[in-house]
């Protein structure tokens, strides 16, 4: 089955760090760019960041709201994408979705999401 | 960043109705517009990409149109499973892609 499964969410204090994982199955993970999209409680969708496939350099892009604090990486041998979140703020509280990028900057496969709550 | 504005923000309709949701971009985005459906507690699902292309597996009652700054998502005959929130997303100004604020479609 083609799917993405996120893990690693939870409750964390402001200023601390958390790493999310996204495990892919059912497709050739290394062929695709991957993005993270988040959704604050009761709010809309916000693109967080993106990592290109190794064929396109494996480079990353980030939203201004997280640039310098969040880092996306990937391990193609394990079919996992990571979102390292540092210096967390209360406004980072959201469900974080891992998504597969189609090649044209739309997202054709989504995980179920993992909730990150930043609170003291 | 390009701002995406959806209208209406919420909409009540009945099973069998024809429904249209509008998305307007703050500048021209050609046909780089995508639509998603999200049901409560679930992940979004891609419906339409490149303004009018139907994603595989999506029922043909969904259609998209538009180019430039104005786009529409139409559901030709609402089914019970279509009550959800719909989001547009521009993929023109990459990597700074942006979503609309969402349109909540409710049962009348």
């Amino acid at each position: 089955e083609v799917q993405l499964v996120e893990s690693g969410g939870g409750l964390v204090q402001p200023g601390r760090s958390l790493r999310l994982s996204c495990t892919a199955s059912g497709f050739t993970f290394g062929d695709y760019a991957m993005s993270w999209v988040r959704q604050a409680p009761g709010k809309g969708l916000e693109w967080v960041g993106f990592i290109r496939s190794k064929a396109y350099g494996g480079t990353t892009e980030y939203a201004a709201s997280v640039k310098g604090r969040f880092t996306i990486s990937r391990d193609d041998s394990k079919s996992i994408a990571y979102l390292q979140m540092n210096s967390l703020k209360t406004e980072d509280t959201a469900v974080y979705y891992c998504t597969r990028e189609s090649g044209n900057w739309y997202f054709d496969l989504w995980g179920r999401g993992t909730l990150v709550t930043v609170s003291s | 960043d390009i701002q995406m504005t959806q209208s209406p923000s919420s909409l009540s309709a009945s099973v069998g109705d024809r429904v249209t949701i509008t998305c307007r971009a703050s500048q021209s985005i050609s046909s780089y517009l995508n639509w998603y459906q999200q049901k409560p507690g679930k992940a979004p699902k891609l419906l339409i990409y490149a303004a009018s292309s139907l994603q595989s597996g999506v029922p043909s009652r969904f259609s998209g149109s538009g180019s430039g700054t104005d786009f529409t998502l139409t559901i030709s005959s609402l089914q019970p499973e279509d009550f959800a929130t719909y989001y547009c997303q521009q993929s023109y100004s990459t990597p700074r892609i942006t979503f609309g604020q969402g349109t909540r479609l409710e049962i009348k």
Side-chain angles (χ1 to χ4, degrees), chain B residues 3-19:
Chain B
Q3 305 302 313
M4 306 301 295
T5 303
Q6 292 181 230
S7 60
S9 294
S10 63
L11 172 62
S12 295
S14 300
V15 173
D17 285 354
R18 179 183 180 89
V19 167

Side-chain angles (χ1 to χ4, degrees), chain A residues 28-41:
Chain A
T28 305
F29 178 76
D31 288 350
Y32 289 87
M34 302 297 293
S35 273
W36 290 88
V37 175
R38 69 184 180 182
Q39 186 170 38

Side-chain angles (χ1 to χ4, degrees), chain B residues 33-107:
Chain B
L33 192 283
N34 313 299
W35 290 98
Y36 300 84
Q37 175 194 67
Q38 185 179 33
K39 296 181 180 179
K42 302 294 186 182
K45 171 188 172 183
L46 178 67
L47 297 177
I48 302 282
Y49 61 93
S52 60
S53 295
L54 193 67
Q55 173 68 355
S56 176
V58 174
S60 59
R61 63 181 179 272
F62 290 92
S63 63
S65 65
S67 66
T69 60
D70 295 320
F71 301 86
T72 59
L73 172 70
T74 299
I75 309 172
S76 60
S77 179
L78 269 175
Q79 298 301 301
E81 60 267 30
D82 300 337
F83 292 95
T85 299
Y86 293 84
Y87 293 93
C88 62
Q89 174 236 326
Q90 64 84 14
S91 49
Y92 177 82
S93 179
T94 60
R96 284 157 180 57
I97 60 168
T98 47
F99 292 88
Q101 83 279 14
T103 294
R104 185 176 178 184
L105 178 53
E106 301 174 318
I107 301 174

Side-chain angles (χ1 to χ4, degrees), chain A residues 5 31 39 57 75 77 100:
Chain A
V5 178
D31 288 350
Q39 186 170 38
D75 184 339
S77 68
R100 185 177 73 178

Side-chain angles (χ1 to χ4, degrees), chain A residues 40-113:
Chain A
K43 302 297 184 182
L45 302 169
E46 179 188 16
W47 174 76
V48 172
F50 165 89
I51 185 165
R52 294 176 176 85
S53 66
K54 289 292 196 295
Y56 289 88
T59 53
T60 53
E61 308 282 355
Y62 300 96
S65 58
V66 306
K67 194 170 185 178
R69 300 188 299 123
F70 289 12
T71 302
I72 298 173
S73 60
R74 63 189 300 155
D75 184 339
D76 290 353
S77 68
K78 296 181 179 178
S79 297
I80 300 178
Y82 300 99
L83 177 63
Q84 176 68 43
M85 304 184 292
N86 298 332
S87 303
L88 281 161
K89 306 176 181 180
T90 55
E91 54 262 41
D92 294 319
T93 294
V95 174
Y96 285 74
Y97 295 103
C98 174
T99 72
R100 185 177 73 178
E101 194 271 331
S102 65
N104 289 289
W105 289 92
Y106 57 85
F107 310 115
D108 63 356
L109 181 65
W110 295 64
R112 297 176 66 177

